[in-house]
Amino acid sequence: MSICAKSGLKDKDRVYVIAVDQYDTTMRGGVLYRTDKPEGIPFSDYPGMIRGLEQRFEQLNYPRANMRRRVFGDGVENRWLSAADEERMAPETAPAGEIQRQSGSLLTFQLRVTHREHASWQGTLVCLEEGGQESFSSFQELVFLMDGFLGRELSVREKVRMDQGKLWDGMTDQDRFEKALSIVMECPEQLKILPDTLVYRYTRGTHRMTFLIRPVFYAHNTCQGLVFWKERRQECSFRSLLELVGLLCDAVYDDTVWEMDELEAAK
């Protein structure tokens, strides 16, 4: 008989608090907490929040991912980042006593991720200021839930439970995917060169990274498709919004990748 990975965990080890302090069109700042620890991990955007959570999932081996994550050029990788990248890029935990609160200046979420299936997340989310528990079957749905709360007029607090799904009624699967991607991966240059092809271009100095993103089909409340890294002529398929974000973050948020490409261009 197999033993479930979560059997040795206490319930408090499976629940996280996301304290959001800044928001305009996307999250600009906040702190990620374990509910049993006063120290938090500061983050400045969705990728930072994702990285902190994924590293914690790997440390606990819960919830277990049922798919190995894909990366550019090298096939698959079981972790959000390689060991070397993790050491270099891991968010610093705030010293004990420096951050004691577990509430955001704007809103506070309680997150429980119970499964990591279909290269994504499944679980429940509670906005502590609003009350009510919402379930999500993918990271894309989680983005809709969080942005639905954060995008409201924060000075007006409704007393009734908000049906988040209605915020996205009338949108096609493609519209939902494109909207969620733009919320998570802030990009100064976004183009749509074909009805089914997006271009995300990042610039640092005179150097550019250009990604052509083509959704192919939609399942499990997320998107599956292809992403092509133009400068390196590398293509990779993705099975979810979360996996696509991981592929983009591997390149865009790693300084050594920019430096390596700059050296190649200078030759």
Side-chain angles (χ1 to χ4, degrees):
M1 179 183 296
S2 63
I3 299 176
C4 178
K6 72 177 183 180
S7 60
L9 294 177
K10 298 179 181 179
D11 188 65
K12 62 186 178 181
D13 291 324
R14 307 174 202 158
V15 180
Y16 302 88
V17 172
I18 302 171
V20 182
D21 295 326
Q22 299 178 53
Y23 172 91
D24 43 42
T25 57
T26 185
M27 280 198 297
R28 303 290 184 184
V31 185
L32 174 66
Y33 299 94
R34 289 169 51 189
T35 55
D36 62 328
K37 298 289 185 181
E39 303 83 15
I41 298 175
F43 61 86
S44 59
D45 49 22
Y46 271 101
M49 182 196 78
I50 295 168
R51 186 162 57 246
L53 286 166
E54 282 283 340
Q55 290 175 356
R56 179 61 178 165
F57 298 156
E58 293 297 328
Q59 290 170 0
L60 293 178
N61 198 25
Y62 173 82
R64 287 180 178 174
N66 72 341
M67 293 180 175
R68 291 173 63 85
R69 190 174 76 84
R70 291 173 177 168
V71 298
F72 276 114
D74 300 321
V76 295
E77 172 61 53
N78 196 37
R79 301 146 67 108
W80 179 254
L81 295 169
S82 68
D85 286 341
E86 235 180 49
E87 183 177 350
R88 182 175 61 254
M89 298 174 62
E92 295 183 0
T93 302
E98 183 174 316
I99 299 178
Q100 295 293 336
R101 61 181 177 78
Q102 286 201 8
S103 61
S105 301
L106 295 182
L107 287 177
T108 312
F109 298 100
Q110 191 173 84
L111 175 69
R112 183 190 296 262
V113 177
T114 56
H115 298 84
R116 293 161 74 197
E117 298 178 350
H118 311 301
S120 194
W121 298 346
Q122 297 79 38
T124 58
L125 181 76
V126 176
C127 178
L128 298 183
E129 288 82 359
E130 299 282 355
Q133 179 174 284
E134 303 283 350
S135 61
F136 57 91
S137 60
S138 68
F139 172 71
Q140 180 171 299
E141 283 194 338
L142 174 62
V143 172
F144 291 158
L145 290 172
M146 294 183 66
D147 195 72
F149 282 113
L150 291 166
R152 299 165 60 202
E153 179 57 51
L154 297 179
S155 61
V156 178
R157 295 299 185 193
E158 296 177 0
K159 301 301 181 182
V160 296
R161 180 174 175 270
M162 181 173 58
D163 183 358
Q164 294 287 339
K166 292 181 180 179
L167 293 174
W168 304 92
D169 282 350
M171 297 179 69
T172 65
D173 288 336
Q174 183 175 340
D175 290 339
R176 289 168 179 257
F177 164 72
E178 291 178 6
K179 175 65 174 177
L181 179 60
S182 68
I183 291 171
V184 176
M185 288 298 300
E186 191 174 15
C187 179
E189 294 183 69
Q190 300 180 28
L191 304 171
K192 195 167 186 179
I193 57 175
L194 292 170
D196 63 347
T197 305
L198 298 172
V199 175
Y200 271 48
R201 182 179 293 124
Y202 297 86
T203 304
R204 185 178 295 185
T206 59
H207 185 57
R208 284 185 172 183
M209 288 186 182
T210 307
F211 302 93
L212 280 69
I213 301 163
R214 184 165 68 88
V216 176
F217 60 93
Y218 302 87
H220 310 301
N221 293 306
T222 188
C223 178
Q224 297 77 43
L226 300 169
V227 56
F228 178 70
W229 186 349
K230 180 181 176 182
E231 287 77 14
R232 288 201 174 185
R233 299 185 180 276
Q234 293 181 357
E235 183 177 81
C236 188
S237 60
F238 60 88
R239 296 161 295 187
S240 68
L241 172 67
L242 182 64
E243 191 164 63
L244 173 60
V245 170
L247 287 164
L248 297 177
C249 286
D250 285 344
V252 176
Y253 293 103
D254 189 340
D255 290 340
T256 60
V257 176
W258 287 93
E259 293 164 2
M260 187 184 305
D261 281 3
E262 287 172 354
L263 288 173
E264 289 294 325
K267 289 181 180 180

